Amino acid sequence: MNATVDVELAVIGGGPAGLAAATLAAEGGASVLLLDEQASPGGQIYRNIEAVCDRRPAIAAALGDDYRGGLELVRAFRRSGAGYRPRASVWEIAGDGALAVVGDGGAEVLRARRLLVATGAAERPVPVPGWTLPGVMTVGAAQTLLKASGLAAGEAVIAGCGPLVLLFALQSIAVGAPPRAVLLSEGFGDYLRALPHLPRAVGSLDLLAKGWGWLRQLKSSGVEVVTGVSAVAARGGSAVDGVGFITGGGRRDIDAGLLLLHQGLVPNGHLLRAAGCAQEWDPAQACWRTRRNSWGATSRNDIAVAGDCAGIGGALAAAEAGRLSALDALYRLGHIGRAARNGRALPMAAALRRHLRPRPLLEALYRPPAEVLRPTAPDTVVCRCEGVRLAALTELRGLGVPGPNQAKAFSRCGMGPCQGRLCEATVGRLLSDEPPLAGRTPQTYTIRPPARPVTVGQVAALDGLAEPAGEVSGMLDR
Amino acid sequence: MFKRLPEADEATIEFHFDGQAYRAVAGDSLAAALLANGIGQFGRNAADNSPRGPHCMIGNCFDCLVLLADGRTAQACLTPVAAGMRVRPYDPATAGSPE
Amino acid sequence: MTANGGPVEVAVVGGGLVGAALAYGLARRGRSILLLDEGDVALRASRGNFGLVWVQGKGRGLPAYALWSQRSARLWAELAAQLREDTAIDVGHSQRGGALIAMSEEELAGFGEMLAEISEAVGPENYEHELLDHDGLAKLIPGLGPDVPGGSFTPYDGHVNPLRLLRALHAGFQTAGGDYRPRARLAHIEAVEGGFELRSQAGTFEAGKLVIAAGLATPDLARQVAVEAPIHPVHGQLLITERAAPRLAIPTNIVRQTDEGGFQIGYSNDELGYVTGTRLGVLRDIAHNAVRALPYLAGLRILRTWGALRIMTPDGFPIYARSTEHPGAFVFACHSGVTLAAVHAMICPGWIDGDGIPEEQACFSPERFDVQTTA
Ligand SMILES: Cc1cc2nc3c(=O)[nH]c(=O)nc-3n(C[C@H](O)[C@H](O)[C@H](O)COP(=O)(O)OP(=O)(O)OC[C@H]3O[C@@H](n4cnc5c(N)ncnc54)[C@H](O)[C@@H]3O)c2cc1C
Ligand SMILES: Cc1cc2nc3c(=O)[nH]c(=O)nc-3n(C[C@H](O)[C@H](O)[C@H](O)COP(=O)(O)OP(=O)(O)OC[C@H]3O[C@@H](n4cnc5c(N)ncnc54)[C@H](O)[C@@H]3O)c2cc1C
Ligand code: FES
């Protein structure tokens, strides 16, 4: 076994959770290395923040105060003395804790005494008819282009629900590229469902007020806003050229060269799942997430999690959770005692609770509609990579296929390059909750390495591995 | 589709897609560079040959695949554009083969 | 109580390649068949294998196994055609010969000895094979790595898409009227008058005959019908790459290009117990080996690596048994369930339906292991 330890704490992911954690741990005296897939620190929300704030002030202003607010987090990280590896993707956490990383220089193995996974969230897939056409993207994708490259999404039709929909519509207006229309799937029923959660969220009225304010602002901007939209479908030949949908007023169709979809976020958990960290079903967020305690400790005692990859909580909560995990890492690494850890944690835990308070309300209000969770049009592509349509999965159910893993073997759904990221929730729902059993949670694919693409040649050239072969990861005991 | 905002318009790099020359800004991903030039279809799906272009922009969907000159595939949303780069649309029939 | 419409003629336990092939063949013979299987997550070698229909090197020490593998290989084209007809599923069968790639001179010499020995035992007229030097092998496998010393070739070998095969067997079974029950793990077998009572996760079933083909779970079940089936798990790790244009025409012991275009690369052999996880060191080793064999693989992206458990007998040869105490009960357990799918679907159902396992196949009885320990 190769015992060389490169650092005490490796942090995977450079969003608010990872940045806050790496900063606190480095300031606390630990040797820290932060690995992030992006070219600069910030994660999804604060993507490219240094360059935008520095060189593109008008875009920074359009992105808003919540965006610019991240700059302090990034600056503190830069000052902290934590090591930083941009453009470095972690593709496996091996059974013995070795980190397999791939970057511009090829693949390599790093070792740390503890790992903090802060890989964030991804947008929930929105399987509607036509969603594989070029020009059908996610709202986050368009926002990424705005942050990273100053590209504005002109004349887009935006469809879905959630804060990001409103935020991005306003950001687009602010940069002078208003959307053609915003189609909101939420309707009156969602507001009714959300009402009971209001009292608990009262402590965070500012945030709620912001949300309502966004909607008002959007409605008064002159952009067409349609609520209670269902049956969104993209049409087109070699690219999208229009979108059909149903509203209270009946069926409609709008021309569109760009359709942006969004139905909330789900944790980016493949790395953790392949590493064998236990998962749990989160009914409110309708997704699987990694089981962890209040310090972010997972079922593997060398791995902790923080931020959206452990359950969606937003950027402020992510940073607080990152700090808590970093405190625990300092304690476990012997830099601070238990009392110091717990004492310092109190205000952070209180802040975390405050940031999480409006979540139940948001979750009730912005719950993805049933038709997104369980598409019904037979020709809807469910697995984008392998082009597997709903009708093919229905046929499998007829064969008695008991769940997503057998469905995968039989149809190739989930076997393509994305390894099921965009279809597992749909396939799980279609194949495991019928007949509906109370309390039954959708099954998922078994996830295996690599979590990120790495070539045969890069793996062949790896050194620094345990001999003969290391521990088994992601084991299944029986 | 997408248009570059004046403030971000610092296009100085030349690269090639499908034999055509285009300009990009240093620091762009290949995906941003192509979209900024009005190119929305990056290739064809390996399983059913349907036209595809970037969907998620964060490395998850693999619909932004292109082929590099040596035949390797690359996710355009995660690959920085570089001066003189030659890329081709992803096509399962030629994936793995050099230009 | 019976969990379905009533008793069946034969219940097959295990919906992997072995059980499904037997069940398919039995259902095609017009029998009423029940197929009991576990749920979605299970130890199921049939979902994790390398897909070879392979004869080369099989049967060293047991010529009957070499001949049995060959018999299956010869029947494979017919099985593929029959499945296509019954289910419209193309299982991607291609059988134009296969190569063993030797990574060292010693290995090459070993291949030579092995093939000569088997050829001698089964008769050279039954065992066409060639030992090739680097240039000879490179003619069959363009792009072969420069430091590969050579290899061997036999014309009998081929490969299929093993997942579509599993699906086709399931579909063919159901098209022929078979009753498939997933999430129905069999726990207890009771011999009753005229057959067996089977207590499963999904209720109790009754069957006149019973076929146990439950992969690694076979020993526990077989013991309940007084058959000892000594098998143990042997871990194999593999990887699959992204799709690429067709380049490798024949399958080899190290790598094959699937009908979908991905390269499947194998594989390790380790005794790790009942775990199906993967090891980074093994991934590196199989990748390293593959790049030495075919340098052009270096630029392809790995989509996935996984582990699966082989169903291994002490000598590596199949166990086919009929219980002496309960003559209506049969036990089938083997490695190489892809290769043997043709005989399992087309020959063995006749045994179950008829007078039992023929005399010339008695060498596959697990009693051979008792003989070894007492000798
Ligand atoms: C596209 C997108 C846009 C968003 N925009 C907004 C917004 O404008 N406003 C808002 O309030 N919220 C937004 N969100 C939600 C926001 O991202 C989260 O609430 C918050 O950023 C969570 O912080 P985090 O640190 O947990 O993760 P993230 O900020 O997502 O950071 C995770 C980081 O890990 C990296 N990473 C992932 N996997 C690996 C790996 N295997 N190896 C190395 N690095 C890896 C990612 O590249 C990323 O840099 C957005 C989410 C997405 C997906
Ligand atoms: C890495 C690897 C590579 C291989 N490569 C090849 C190859 O190239 N060529 C080849 O010919 N062979 C190959 N094999 C071997 C081949 O995969 C197996 O021989 C074959 O899949 C075995 O099928 P099976 O049905 O016996 O077992 P399995 O596929 O394991 O199926 C057993 C079934 O029984 C079910 N079951 C278990 N217990 C119960 C119970 N109590 N009640 C009901 N159901 C139960 C299970 O759920 C499962 O469905 C390989 C195997 C491995 C692991
Ligand atoms: S756009 Fe989804 S992976 Fe690149």
Side-chain angles (χ1 to χ4, degrees):
Chain A
M1 147 87 72
N2 180 332
T4 323
V5 169
D6 301 304
V7 286
E8 288 185 295
L9 176 68
V11 178
I12 307 166
L19 292 171
T23 305
L24 189 147
E27 287 170 349
S31 63
V32 179
L33 177 63
L34 184 137
L35 300 143
D36 186 55
E37 195 156 70
Q38 297 189 26
S40 59
Q44 304 305 357
I45 175 166
Y46 309 132
R47 180 182 283 270
N48 203 24
I49 189 167
E50 293 163 310
V52 172
C53 288
D54 195 32
R55 301 207 314 270
R56 296 173 182 171
I59 295 176
L63 287 170
D65 289 342
D66 287 345
Y67 179 72
R68 286 182 296 199
L71 195 56
E72 191 36 51
L73 200 60
V74 172
R75 288 198 174 132
F77 167 71
R78 293 279 195 193
R79 285 192 304 265
S80 70
Y84 173 48
R85 288 269 294 271
R87 292 192 46 72
S89 303
V90 176
W91 52 272
E92 174 170 4
I93 302 173
D96 61 3
L99 281 185
V101 184
V102 60
D104 294 330
E108 65 181 308
V109 171
L110 298 175
R111 284 173 193 279
R113 285 179 57 199
R114 297 200 56 73
L115 304 175
L116 177 63
V117 179
T119 49
E123 290 170 275
R124 183 191 302 280
V126 187
V128 298
W131 71 312
T132 59
L133 287 168
V136 180
M137 299 175 77
T138 66
V139 169
Q143 196 203 38
T144 294
L145 287 160
L146 176 59
K147 292 170 182 170
S149 293
L151 296 189
E155 293 285 286
V157 171
I158 302 180
C161 76
L164 197 58
V165 168
L166 303 180
L167 175 63
F168 182 67
L170 292 175
Q171 290 170 336
S172 296
I173 294 169
V175 296
R180 170 163 299 177
V182 177
L183 313 177
L184 298 175
S185 58
E186 74 246 30
F188 189 58
D190 300 280
Y191 296 106
L192 282 184
R193 198 172 51 227
L195 271 182
H197 297 284
L198 203 52
R200 240 195 105 210
V202 157
S204 35
L205 271 180
D206 49 337
L207 198 138
L208 294 177
K210 190 151 73 183
W212 298 124
W214 284 351
L215 187 55
R216 245 200 350 264
Q217 219 180 314
L218 181 60
K219 284 186 169 163
S220 62
S221 71
V223 170
E224 185 183 8
V225 179
V226 187
T227 55
V229 167
S230 64
V232 169
R235 64 169 157 79
S238 61
V240 62
D241 49 41
V243 49
F245 56 95
I246 294 177
T247 70
R251 187 174 290 281
R252 275 188 63 188
D253 186 282
I254 321 183
D255 288 341
L258 185 59
L259 171 62
L260 304 178
L261 304 170
H262 181 83
Q263 288 286 351
L265 302 168
V266 291
N268 217 347
H270 274 206
L271 193 59
L272 292 155
R273 286 165 60 186
C277 294
Q279 303 289 303
E280 62 193 10
W281 176 250
D282 181 335
Q285 298 187 347
C287 61
W288 285 92
R289 66 183 196 189
T290 300
R291 193 191 305 151
R292 83 290 194 214
N293 70 10
S294 54
W295 300 105
T298 71
S299 64
R300 257 186 74 165
N301 64 14
D302 54 342
I303 303 179
V305 283
D308 275 5
C309 74
I312 306 307
L316 299 177
E320 245 22 280
R323 290 186 189 104
L324 284 166
S325 298
L327 274 183
D328 191 45
L330 286 176
Y331 162 66
R332 294 189 191 216
L333 291 164
H335 290 281
I336 58 174
R338 202 184 182 103
R341 176 194 69 172
N342 293 359
R344 287 178 63 186
L346 285 176
M348 297 173 190
L352 178 59
R353 279 196 300 276
R354 195 168 63 246
H355 296 317
L356 291 178
R357 212 172 284 142
R359 281 288 138 187
L361 179 83
L362 293 176
E363 284 156 11
L365 183 55
Y366 297 127
R367 191 151 70 183
E371 62 176 13
V372 166
L373 300 177
R374 273 183 91 111
T376 51
D379 64 341
T380 308
V381 171
V382 172
C383 165
R384 296 174 65 99
C385 294
E386 296 295 323
V388 181
R389 290 170 195 267
L390 178 61
L393 294 168
T394 310
E395 193 184 318
L396 291 186
R397 224 171 38 206
L399 266 186
V401 165
N405 291 289
Q406 192 88 341
K408 176 176 168 180
F410 280 16
S411 73
R412 291 194 59 80
C413 64
M415 271 200 187
C418 94
Q419 286 291 296
R421 281 179 176 83
L422 279 86
C423 68
E424 65 181 332
T426 318
V427 173
R429 282 196 188 86
L430 289 169
L431 283 161
S432 50
D433 62 359
E434 191 145 302
L437 293 177
R440 182 110 145 253
T441 53
Q443 289 165 273
T444 55
Y445 298 135
T446 305
I447 302 303
R448 305 280 203 166
R452 283 305 198 200
V454 55
T455 66
V456 179
Q458 286 168 333
V459 172
L462 276 183
D463 54 20
L465 280 175
E467 294 300 340
E471 302 285 316
V472 177
S473 89
M475 46 204 252
L476 173 81
D477 284 301
R478 213 179 72 159
Chain B
M1 285 240 307
F2 287 95
K3 64 169 196 275
R4 184 94 62 181
L5 292 169
E7 194 177 57
D9 199 355
E10 311 145 0
T12 52
I13 288 180
E14 191 181 82
F15 73 105
H16 294 256
F17 179 72
D18 210 5
Q20 284 257 36
Y22 297 97
R23 303 201 77 74
V25 175
D28 273 351
S29 62
L30 258 175
L34 289 168
L35 290 168
N37 282 285
I39 296 164
Q41 181 184 336
F42 288 16
R44 295 193 165 273
N45 176 265
D48 65 11
N49 221 39
S50 59
R52 295 295 169 99
H55 181 71
C56 75
M57 285 303 294
I58 59 168
N60 271 347
C61 75
F62 291 78
D63 273 319
C64 62
L65 285 184
V66 293
L67 292 176
L68 303 177
D70 62 4
R72 279 184 304 143
T73 58
Q75 281 166 284
C77 70
L78 294 182
T79 307
V81 68
M85 200 168 199
R86 305 184 62 85
V87 289
R88 289 174 278 161
Y90 178 82
D91 175 353
T94 53
S97 326
E99 268 180 350
Chain C
M1 176 213 105
T2 301
N4 68 344
V8 291
E9 285 172 276
V10 188
V12 178
V13 187
L17 283 173
V18 176
L22 294 166
Y24 167 63
L26 283 161
R28 278 189 116 245
R29 294 171 69 91
R31 296 292 167 226
S32 63
I33 314 290
L34 173 72
L35 178 57
L36 298 180
D37 202 0
E38 293 178 295
D40 191 48
V41 176
L43 294 176
R44 195 166 284 146
S46 304
R47 272 190 334 212
N49 65 67
F50 201 60
L52 298 178
V53 172
W54 207 254
V55 169
Q56 198 167 175
K58 295 253 172 86
R60 197 179 199 182
L62 186 63
Y65 181 52
L67 294 170
W68 184 238
S69 299
Q70 256 182 1
R71 184 163 175 198
S72 198
R74 269 199 306 275
L75 279 173
W76 238 108
E78 196 182 327
L79 174 65
Q82 185 185 298
L83 285 169
R84 189 178 307 116
E85 193 156 307
D86 288 0
T87 68
I89 296 171
D90 175 357
V91 299
H93 171 250
S94 153
Q95 215 174 338
R96 288 172 290 183
L100 295 176
I101 302 177
M103 299 308 294
S104 66
E105 292 291 350
E106 294 93 276
E107 203 178 5
L108 184 57
F111 289 166
E113 277 166 38
M114 171 177 76
L115 296 177
E117 188 184 317
I118 301 170
S119 159
E120 173 104 347
V122 302
E125 69 285 2
N126 292 322
Y127 211 74
E128 222 183 288
H129 65 278
E130 269 179 280
L131 209 60
L132 301 161
D133 62 7
H134 175 92
D135 293 349
L137 190 60
K139 279 203 196 81
L140 293 175
I141 305 177
L144 191 69
D147 60 343
V148 173
S152 59
F153 175 84
T154 67
Y156 316 107
D157 306 316
H159 58 157
V160 298
N161 183 313
L163 301 175
R164 278 216 299 281
L165 169 62
L166 185 63
R167 176 175 181 171
L169 292 170
H170 275 248
F173 168 68
Q174 293 182 53
T175 304
D179 181 5
Y180 174 65
R181 298 298 176 107
R183 299 190 201 96
R185 182 190 292 128
L186 178 61
H188 186 78
I189 303 168
E190 190 78 40
V192 294
E193 195 197 330
F196 301 90
E197 192 180 271
L198 307 171
R199 267 172 247 152
S200 86
Q201 202 183 354
T204 302
F205 299 88
E206 277 180 71
K209 287 182 179 175
L210 173 64
V211 178
I212 298 169
L216 288 168
T218 301
D220 287 347
L221 297 172
R223 212 164 288 128
Q224 297 188 41
V225 295
V227 172
E228 282 303 315
I231 55 183
H232 66 283
V234 175
H235 187 274
Q237 186 171 334
L238 307 107
L239 71 83
I240 184 89
T241 71
E242 62 187 333
R243 285 177 164 92
R247 193 149 183 191
L248 178 60
I250 56 166
T252 77
N253 54 330
I254 291 175
V255 49
R256 69 185 190 98
Q257 187 168 19
T258 69
D259 58 341
E260 280 121 4
F263 286 83
Q264 195 178 3
I265 299 176
Y267 37 69
S268 58
N269 263 294
D270 290 293
E271 309 244 343
L272 302 174
Y274 290 87
V275 301
T276 58
T278 59
R279 291 182 297 170
L280 187 52
V282 172
L283 179 63
R284 190 263 324 269
D285 293 348
I286 60 181
H288 186 79
N289 209 38
V291 171
R292 268 188 69 206
L294 291 177
Y296 64 72
L297 296 175
L300 291 174
R301 293 176 179 216
I302 299 170
L303 292 189
R304 184 176 177 93
T305 180
W306 69 93
L309 298 178
R310 298 180 182 85
I311 291 128
M312 206 49 89
T313 57
D315 55 10
F317 305 127
I319 288 177
Y320 297 154
R322 180 184 195 172
S323 170
T324 334
E325 213 167 293
H326 306 285
F330 293 79
V331 174
F332 285 79
C334 67
H335 181 55
S336 299
V338 180
T339 308
L340 298 178
V343 284
H344 290 162
M346 303 168 87
I347 306 290
C348 302
W351 306 349
I352 295 161
D353 221 9
D355 302 327
I357 299 174
E359 197 49 43
E360 72 269 24
Q361 314 295 357
C363 57
F364 297 131
S365 157
E367 281 164 23
R368 68 186 186 267
F369 303 116
D370 309 340
V371 174
Q372 273 165 11
T373 45
T374 50

